[in-house]
Amino acid sequence: MSQKQLKEAFISNLNGTSLLEISAGLSLPPLCLLCRGLLLILYYLHHGKPVSSRKYSLLLDFLVLVSPLLFSCTVLSPILFFIPVILAAFCAGIFSKIYSQRKQEARAPFGQVVKEFQKACLDPEGIPAITVFRVYVNVLTSISILAVDFPQYPRRYAKAETYGTGVMDLGVGAFIFGNALVCPEVRQKSPRTQPRFSSLARQMFSVWPLVSLGVGRLLSVKSIEYHEHTSEYGVHWNFFFTLALVRLAASLLLAIFPKHKAWLVALALAGLYQLLLSTTSLKVFILHGSDGRDSRLGFLDANREGLLSLFGYLAIYLASVQVGLWLLQCRSSVRGWLDALKGLALAVVVLWVLLQLCQVCTEPVSRRLANLPFCTWVLAHCLLLLGFFVLTDLTLVFTKLLVEGSSVPCCWKVVQPPDSRKKQGMEAVEVGRQDKLSQLCLISAINKNQLLFFLLANVMTGAVNILIDTIHSKAAFTLCILHFYMFCNCLIMYVLHARNIVLKFW
């Protein structure tokens, strides 16, 4: 077999992993974020000032926010279930140290602290959990697209061939989910004053970079005979085309139907598509081609997975628009977000039960088909991860109130602390200080140039695969390559952010 055939075989005919293992893995990013925040607060408690060195800030962010994920999906994957426990214990130890070492005059009974925390008012301008969710989906995707070509990346984490739940299968759906959370229909504050199809017009202009990247990827892959998994999207299709068409189709539907009923449109679309899969020959066509022998004759036959899975991805996008609209409802207090957290937990439970019923009554999860179980699975786990990030932010808000003047980048700002806290010297986080500190944040850096970050990851992945025999790499070499690859990508984003450069003109 040629090197190209070996690599294609290496990522083909896989069956995914368990839902429990994926859920355990989803707890790692929030725990890393919590650990970073607590370390910054502890540093401020001891030194009376935030970390001021950009070099050390980048190093801290990379080692705490990115490096643990690299280890957990490679050499530490056999003990994945123990890693969240270890990280949680470490965070608990840091919090205990902060609580015991805070200033004497600021000490108050724990019950009083909790009451005042619930009354605290938060900056209503942004929801950090959404930003962090989108950035981490990008980071995890960037790690996986290269790591999957190394033997240390468990095969069960790679994309499943037909049925199954691989980590990378979830990443595709999470990308759709994250895009929908910040789409124009969600961010639009005064819909009555906007033309009915204004969002569609904006989307038609904003998706051209995705179409261009899709064409560029297609031409480059074909010209250098780069290895590809044909049954993923087809011969000529790729994820850039999927994302572009889903955004356009969603804007068209949301211009026709009320956007606050997006979940009903999503449910109808996913249900109808699943009905066609179950009662017609559509499923056989997607899996085996028009002649039943996996033919790839004609554009539709050659790209059937990519074209027909658009219905499932569109349903995920529309449902995610509903989530975005719900999250942006005015919640100015911690108490309001605690109630929202309960709502997220209830939604996850309902979707989890629905997932089990769908798999029993229809078929297992299939990213290749983008069937109803796949849509339900993606939404359930994305809401779970989003809920973890909201809980992490609230925990950091509570800890910041314990330490006067402390700040954590990409975390809620307390804009109106209770009067009783003011008397004890527990002032709110200063907006100026928070904004200055955000300049030293890797999450903010990636968030400013997310598409560029993803594009660089794809280019660097291709370069590594061309230059290195990834399949036969040893563990130490693999870890060095993955860390160097991610650090270079993060460093470029960090430098651009430090110079306030945003490479976006559409």
Side-chain angles (χ1 to χ4, degrees):
M1 295 176 68
S2 66
Q3 189 72 5
K4 178 177 181 290
Q5 290 172 324
L6 281 173
K7 290 192 174 184
E8 288 176 352
F10 192 59
I11 57 176
S12 301
N13 302 312
L14 305 172
N15 299 313
T17 185
S18 67
L19 298 179
L20 183 60
E21 185 170 19
I22 292 177
S23 300
L26 289 180
S27 67
L28 294 180
L31 285 170
C32 291
L33 189 71
L34 178 61
C35 181
R36 192 278 301 255
L38 293 175
L39 286 173
L40 290 174
I41 295 173
L42 183 62
Y43 180 91
Y44 183 88
L45 182 62
H46 285 170
H47 296 85
K49 62 179 182 179
V51 178
S52 56
S53 170
R54 290 183 174 179
K55 177 175 63 176
Y56 292 128
S57 175
L58 173 61
L59 189 61
L60 173 67
D61 280 359
F62 184 80
L63 291 178
V64 180
L65 299 179
V66 179
S67 190
L69 304 179
L70 284 169
F71 280 100
S72 64
C73 70
T74 52
V75 294
L76 295 184
S77 57
I79 58 168
L80 179 68
F81 289 99
F82 295 99
I83 300 177
V85 177
I86 296 171
L87 282 175
F90 185 65
C91 290
I94 300 174
F95 178 83
S96 177
K97 192 169 185 178
I98 292 172
Y99 187 79
S100 62
Q101 293 184 0
R102 60 202 173 107
K103 293 180 180 179
Q104 185 69 35
E105 64 271 16
R107 294 189 177 183
F110 188 78
Q112 180 183 344
V113 174
V114 172
K115 289 180 181 179
E116 293 170 352
F117 163 69
Q118 292 177 340
K119 296 176 183 177
C121 293
L122 304 173
D123 183 7
E125 291 301 315
I127 303 173
I130 293 179
T131 299
V132 175
F133 176 92
R134 298 182 71 241
V135 167
Y136 255 116
V137 167
N138 215 329
V139 169
L140 290 168
T141 302
S142 299
I143 292 173
S144 295
I145 59 176
L146 178 58
V148 71
D149 295 313
F150 290 90
Q152 288 75 24
Y153 189 86
R155 296 301 89 194
R156 65 185 184 276
Y157 290 178
K159 291 178 180 176
E161 184 69 26
T162 301
Y163 294 105
T165 51
V167 173
M168 295 184 71
D169 294 315
L170 179 61
V172 177
F175 229 102
I176 297 288
F177 183 92
N179 267 265
L181 291 179
V182 295
C183 70
E185 290 80 8
V186 172
R187 290 183 282 109
Q188 191 171 298
K189 294 183 178 179
S190 53
R192 293 181 181 178
T193 62
Q194 297 287 337
R196 189 175 182 86
F197 291 92
S198 62
S199 294
L200 176 60
R202 267 180 287 171
Q203 287 283 32
M204 290 183 69
F205 178 69
S206 65
V207 300
W208 74 260
L210 294 173
V211 176
S212 301
L213 290 174
V215 173
R217 175 180 170 78
L218 172 63
L219 295 177
S220 60
V221 166
K222 299 301 181 183
S223 62
I224 64 175
E225 294 189 353
Y226 190 76
H227 67 277
E228 54 183 331
H229 196 184
T230 304
S231 65
E232 185 177 352
Y233 295 107
V235 178
H236 312 104
W237 205 259
N238 57 57
F239 183 67
F240 292 113
F241 294 141
T242 293
L243 187 56
L245 283 187
V246 163
R247 286 172 57 172
L248 285 176
S251 291
L252 177 60
L253 288 175
L254 292 172
I256 299 172
F257 300 99
K259 64 181 182 181
H260 63 276
K261 299 292 185 182
W263 71 276
L264 284 175
V265 182
L267 183 61
L269 184 64
L272 178 61
Y273 177 57
Q274 182 60 54
L275 183 64
L276 292 174
L277 288 174
S278 301
T279 59
T280 68
S281 60
L282 183 62
K283 185 198 306 184
V284 176
F285 171 69
I286 296 175
L287 298 181
H288 304 293
S290 56
D291 61 357
R293 292 178 293 186
D294 199 24
S295 65
R296 296 283 174 179
L297 302 175
F299 183 77
L300 177 60
D301 213 349
N303 304 284
R304 55 185 185 269
E305 294 92 348
L307 292 170
L308 292 171
S309 63
L310 287 171
F311 294 104
Y313 290 125
L314 181 56
I316 293 172
Y317 191 98
L318 292 170
S320 306
V321 167
Q322 190 75 61
V323 175
L325 291 171
W326 178 76
L327 287 173
L328 287 181
Q329 291 176 5
C330 185
R331 297 183 183 89
S332 59
S333 68
V334 168
R335 193 185 301 275
W337 277 103
L338 289 173
D339 292 337
L341 200 56
K342 295 176 185 176
L344 284 173
L346 178 61
V348 170
V349 172
V350 170
L351 286 169
W352 191 277
V353 173
L354 181 60
L355 172 61
Q356 305 306 318
L357 291 175
C358 286
Q359 293 197 101
V360 170
C361 299
T362 57
E363 58 186 344
V365 172
S366 174
R367 171 201 47 81
R368 189 174 176 185
L369 298 172
N371 55 6
L372 180 59
F374 174 77
C375 299
T376 308
W377 171 59
V378 167
L379 290 172
H381 278 77
C382 285
L383 289 177
L384 178 65
L385 181 57
L386 194 60
F388 282 158
F389 282 131
V390 172
L391 180 61
T392 298
D393 277 339
L394 292 175
T395 304
L396 290 175
V397 167
F398 180 84
T399 311
K400 286 194 297 180
L401 289 175
L402 296 175
V403 181
E404 177 186 350
S406 62
S407 300
V408 178
C410 291
C411 177
W412 265 309
K413 291 175 282 188
V414 179
V415 294
Q416 186 184 342
D419 293 337
S420 59
R421 290 315 263 187
K422 290 183 180 180
K423 295 178 182 178
Q424 298 183 29
M426 297 296 218
E427 297 296 336
V429 176
E430 297 177 9
V431 173
R433 179 174 296 171
Q434 180 79 6
D435 291 342
K436 182 180 179 180
L437 192 60
S438 69
Q439 296 295 322
L440 306 173
C441 178
L442 181 59
I443 292 174
S444 297
I446 296 174
N447 182 54
K448 273 196 172 181
N449 287 288
Q450 288 210 45
L451 186 57
L452 177 63
F453 181 83
F454 186 59
L455 177 60
L456 277 176
N458 276 270
V459 171
M460 293 173 69
T461 295
V464 170
N465 272 280
I466 292 172
L467 298 173
I468 296 173
D469 180 13
T470 57
I471 298 179
H472 301 101
S473 298
K474 302 296 182 182
F477 181 74
T478 296
L479 289 174
C480 289
I481 291 295
L482 289 176
H483 275 84
F484 180 73
Y485 151 78
M486 285 302 298
F487 185 77
C488 287
N489 212 345
C490 291
L491 179 61
I492 293 171
M493 297 301 106
Y494 199 80
V495 171
L496 291 175
H497 180 50
R499 298 184 179 183
N500 199 29
I501 298 175
V502 180
L503 297 179
K504 182 177 180 179
F505 45 86
W506 56 88

